[in-house]
Structure formats: structure tokens, C-alpha cells
Amino acid sequence: MSARCTAARTSLRTAGIMVVFTVAFTALMAATFEVTRPTIEASAQEGKMRLINEVLPRASYDNLLLDDFVTLGPTPELGLDDGGHIFRARKAGEPAALVLEVIAPDGYAGRIQMVVAVGADGRVNGVRVTGHRETPGLGDYIDPKKDRNKSQPWIEQFADVSFADIGLDKWKVRRDGGVFASRSGATISARAVTHAAARAADYAIRHRDALFTAPAGGRL
């Protein structure tokens, strides 16, 4: 047998082994994913509920909140270029609050992802930052986990505030003539979050009836 034939046969055998290995590895990964998917999904759901319960007291609603949502298309008012979700809290079947996914596009270091809970009575129940790239030790106080003031985190000042009492014109940081505090040297971060919270409250109030009556899982 010539050296050329031997080399060709070796190459074919090696290629065959690689194909078998690839198929087996792919099958193993697929099987592993199917086995672990319920656990991963359950963990993701628990994470969402923990976050929602930070902005909305658990006692204020009794429905399966993660199953009661509407999907938004691109919504500039909320900074959602690709759309997002609004979850609907109900108590004894009656509207209790809306939990909105919001993005502040004008943070110091870019987009700031947030959730804002707005009660059916127009009061902001709470605000949380869920993702940002603000400067560590300076602008990241917008995230209560990073805020050095653990007894009175900056973002808690939005909780239980009536949007109607303040109005859109005054829903600003004090430096801009509004009513909300900011921190020295990091006003841009606070301003972005404050404006986004105002837009979320305004949107929730103006679209309240349509949001609560839309079919669960539907798209607006």
C-alpha cells in the first residue's frame, strides 16, 4: 500500500472520529440543557419575583403576577427601543399596580435599566435599577446594593410618592428645580433615573385602563 493511500485512510478515519465525537457531544449538551432547563427557568422566575417584591409589597396583590403581563412594542416614552413588558398586579381581581420595565437612555455611562411600580392610585410604589455602567463609588449609588447609605438608600425617596401631587414639571432633581435629592458630583446618574421614573409614572397613569384590560400575554 502506498504512503498516499495510507495517509488518505488515516485522514478519513480521523475525520470519522471527529464527526462521531461532535455528534455525541452535541447530543450530550442538548440532553443536559433539557434536564437543567426547568431549574434555570425557575431560578430566573424567582429572581424576577425578588426584584418585583422590592418595588411592590407582596401583600398589595394576590394574583400570579408573572403570568399577568402585556408586551410592549418599541416605546420611546419608556426608553424601550426593542419593546418590553408591563406586569399587572391585582388584589381580589381589582387593579392594584403596574410594574414597568424602563430604560433611562441618558446615564453618565449609557443606558440604565430599571423597573418602576406604579399603583392604580397613581402613587409610585418603588423604583429599582436593574442594570447600569455608572462610575463605581460615584454614580452607582442609584443601585441600593451599591449605595453606601444603607439606612436611607437614595432610590427609596421615590417610594410612596404621588405623581399627581408633584407633577411632571417638578419630578426632577433639586439642582434642576425639582424635589428629589441627588449626590454631589454625580447628578447626571440621579437625573437620568429621576426623569425615567417620571416618564414611567406618567405612562402608567395615562394608559392605565388599556393596560389592565388588555389580554394577558397580549401585545400593545
Side-chain angles (χ1 to χ4, degrees):
M1 182 181 297
S2 67
R4 182 177 296 177
C5 289
T6 301
R9 183 168 295 180
T10 300
S11 297
L12 288 172
R13 185 167 58 250
T14 301
I17 292 171
M18 290 301 295
V19 169
V20 171
F21 176 80
T22 300
V23 171
F25 181 76
T26 301
L28 176 62
M29 290 298 293
T32 301
F33 175 74
E34 288 301 321
V35 170
T36 59
R37 182 167 59 178
T39 301
I40 294 172
E41 291 178 348
S43 178
Q45 295 290 83
E46 290 174 5
K48 285 182 181 179
M49 283 308 308
R50 281 196 299 270
L51 178 61
I52 288 172
N53 288 335
E54 287 185 27
V55 297
L56 187 64
R58 185 62 185 87
S60 66
Y61 65 96
D62 57 14
N63 63 317
L64 296 175
L65 194 145
L66 293 184
D67 293 335
D68 195 348
F69 67 92
V70 292
T71 301
L72 299 180
T75 309
E77 302 100 304
L78 302 178
L80 301 175
D81 295 337
D82 300 318
H85 299 89
I86 295 180
F87 299 94
R88 303 176 295 189
R90 305 177 194 269
K91 184 79 169 182
E94 294 299 317
L98 296 166
V99 180
L100 302 88
E101 294 179 344
V102 184
I103 291 178
D106 49 354
Y108 181 78
R111 291 151 56 96
I112 300 173
Q113 296 170 291
M114 305 162 49
V115 292
V116 179
V118 182
D121 60 357
R123 302 185 77 83
V124 173
N125 296 104
V127 178
R128 281 295 182 275
V129 169
T130 61
H132 69 90
R133 293 182 295 176
E134 301 303 276
T135 306
L138 187 62
D140 62 351
Y141 67 87
I142 58 176
D143 180 349
K145 296 182 179 65
K146 305 289 181 64
D147 195 335
R148 295 175 183 175
N149 188 344
K150 299 302 180 184
S151 61
Q152 291 183 308
W154 174 83
I155 207 161
E156 290 293 348
Q157 66 185 312
F158 299 109
D160 200 33
V161 176
S162 170
F163 185 74
D165 289 348
I166 295 178
L168 194 59
D169 291 342
K170 288 294 184 180
W171 196 286
K172 304 173 183 176
V173 296
R174 290 174 189 156
R175 185 172 180 177
D176 298 335
V179 301
F180 294 104
S182 59
R183 301 271 175 86
S184 178
T187 304
I188 293 175
S189 304
R191 181 183 291 128
V193 171
T194 302
H195 287 175
R199 291 193 296 271
D202 182 54
Y203 184 91
I205 293 168
R206 286 189 293 107
H207 298 280
R208 174 184 177 276
D209 292 342
L211 289 169
F212 272 112
T213 57
R219 185 179 180 89
L220 292 181

